[in-house]
């Protein structure tokens, strides 16, 4: 299937992490868009014991490829938050043969909503009203727009480097800083540096992975406010 690149200005009412107004909006220009206008949405599981989906946000992309998506309001995200520590640091020290260093969270129980993907409704259909339970006939056939894309792909001298961006919502300000070294039973040693000061509201987290040496060097930081990121539609 043809891959389209979506050039997204992460515009949470201007720039992520600056003005946090009532309805932050993600705006984008879809590169190579050749279709009529379509509906886009953000869906999440209705509950842990239910495989149905609930619509958290909806927007559109017009025939010129301009995408507009009002981001989910905090009250719609209340039941969808996950542990910031588990989402941000998937490596468990207990899984390392050797582990050194420390990553410090000023709020160890902090929660986050990561915007992992957008769904493009099938042609001729629309997402229902916000908060609606969405049937699989809609979301099951929807194209997935993945948010974690290597924006350094094709950049000279960056063959062994990966950078992606993650748009996240936090109900409270959180600071995460520190460094660690994980030596697994098999595979690359991971050297991790974290320098994050995230405000309450929407922010853009930048992850840089460097495979050019003998070890994997990973850095997590807050992306600059004027960051432009690429999303792809597989």
């Amino acid at each position: 299937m043809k891959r389209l690149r979506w050039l997204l200005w992460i515009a949470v009412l201007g720039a992520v992490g600056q003005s946090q107004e009532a309805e932050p909006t993600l705006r984008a220009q879809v590169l190579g868009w050749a279709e009529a206008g379509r509906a886009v949405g953000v869906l999440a599981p209705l509950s842990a014991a239910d495989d149905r989906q609930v619509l958290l946000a909806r927007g559109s992309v017009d025939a010129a490829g301009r995408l507009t998506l009002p981001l989910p309001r905090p009250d719609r995200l209340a039941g969808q938050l996950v542990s910031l520590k588990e989402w941000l640091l998937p490596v468990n020290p207990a899984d390392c043969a050797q582990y050194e260093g420390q990553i410090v969270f000023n709020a160890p129980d902090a929660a986050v909503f990561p915007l992992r993907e957008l769904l493009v409704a099938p042609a001729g259909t629309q997402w229902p009203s916000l908060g609606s339970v969405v049937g699989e006939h809609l979301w099951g056939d929807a194209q997935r727009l993945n948010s974690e894309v290597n924006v350094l792909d094709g950049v000279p001298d960056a063959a062994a480097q990966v950078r992606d961006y993650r748009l996240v919502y936090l109900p409270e300000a959180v600071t995460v800083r520190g460094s660690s070294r994980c030596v697994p039973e098999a595979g690359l040693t991971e050297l991790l540096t974290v320098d994050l000061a995230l405000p309450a509201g929407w922010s853009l987290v930048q992850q840089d992975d460097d495979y050019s040496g003998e070890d994997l060097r990973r850095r997590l930081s807050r992306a600059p406010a004027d960051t432009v990121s690429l999303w792809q539609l597989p």
Side-chain angles (χ1 to χ4, degrees):
M1 183 180 293
K2 180 181 178 182
R3 298 182 70 87
L4 296 179
R5 284 199 162 186
W6 302 55
L7 183 62
L8 293 192
W9 286 269
I10 302 299
V12 178
L13 293 166
V16 165
Q18 293 185 352
S19 168
Q20 294 286 346
E21 300 181 22
E23 191 176 66
T25 300
L26 179 64
R27 304 186 187 278
Q29 179 64 44
V30 181
L31 303 183
W33 182 260
E35 302 184 44
R38 301 276 287 276
V40 297
V42 177
L43 278 74
L46 181 62
S47 69
D50 197 319
D51 59 2
R52 292 178 295 172
Q53 302 283 304
V54 61
L55 187 68
L56 302 182
R58 67 176 183 172
S60 63
V61 55
D62 65 17
R66 293 183 294 258
L67 185 148
T68 303
L69 179 76
L71 292 168
R73 298 197 316 261
D75 60 310
R76 297 199 184 281
L77 299 177
Q80 302 294 338
L81 302 178
V82 298
S83 165
L84 176 62
K85 182 177 291 186
E86 293 180 8
W87 172 79
L88 194 65
L89 307 177
V91 173
N92 186 337
D95 296 331
C96 306
Q98 285 184 288
Y99 185 85
E100 302 170 355
Q102 187 176 24
I103 308 296
V104 178
F105 290 71
N106 74 324
D109 296 327
V112 65
F113 176 80
L115 184 59
R116 295 185 174 92
E117 61 182 9
L118 306 182
L119 280 73
V120 181
T125 62
Q126 294 287 332
W127 299 112
S129 59
L130 292 177
S132 296
V133 177
V134 180
E136 189 173 0
H137 69 286
L138 265 182
W139 67 264
D141 294 330
Q143 295 172 300
R144 264 65 173 173
L145 181 60
N146 183 10
S147 66
E148 297 176 13
V149 175
N150 180 17
V151 299
L152 299 180
D153 186 24
V155 176
D157 303 321
Q161 298 177 52
V162 175
R163 173 177 294 167
D164 63 40
Y165 300 105
R166 296 148 186 229
L167 187 58
V168 299
Y169 171 82
L170 294 99
E172 61 180 334
V174 178
T175 300
V176 188
R177 290 193 171 95
S179 60
S180 66
R181 178 176 180 268
C182 171
V183 181
E185 294 288 351
L188 292 176
T189 295
E190 178 181 303
L191 306 176
L192 173 64
T193 302
V194 183
D195 184 10
L196 287 171
L198 303 176
W202 290 92
S203 292
L204 195 63
V205 174
Q206 176 174 318
Q207 178 171 318
D208 288 281
D209 293 349
D210 186 343
Y211 295 87
S212 60
E214 294 183 357
D215 303 323
L216 164 60
R217 297 179 178 273
R218 174 168 292 159
R219 179 177 177 83
L220 297 171
S221 59
R222 190 177 173 200
D226 60 351
T227 293
V228 174
S229 68
L230 292 174
W231 288 33
Q232 287 182 342
L233 182 63

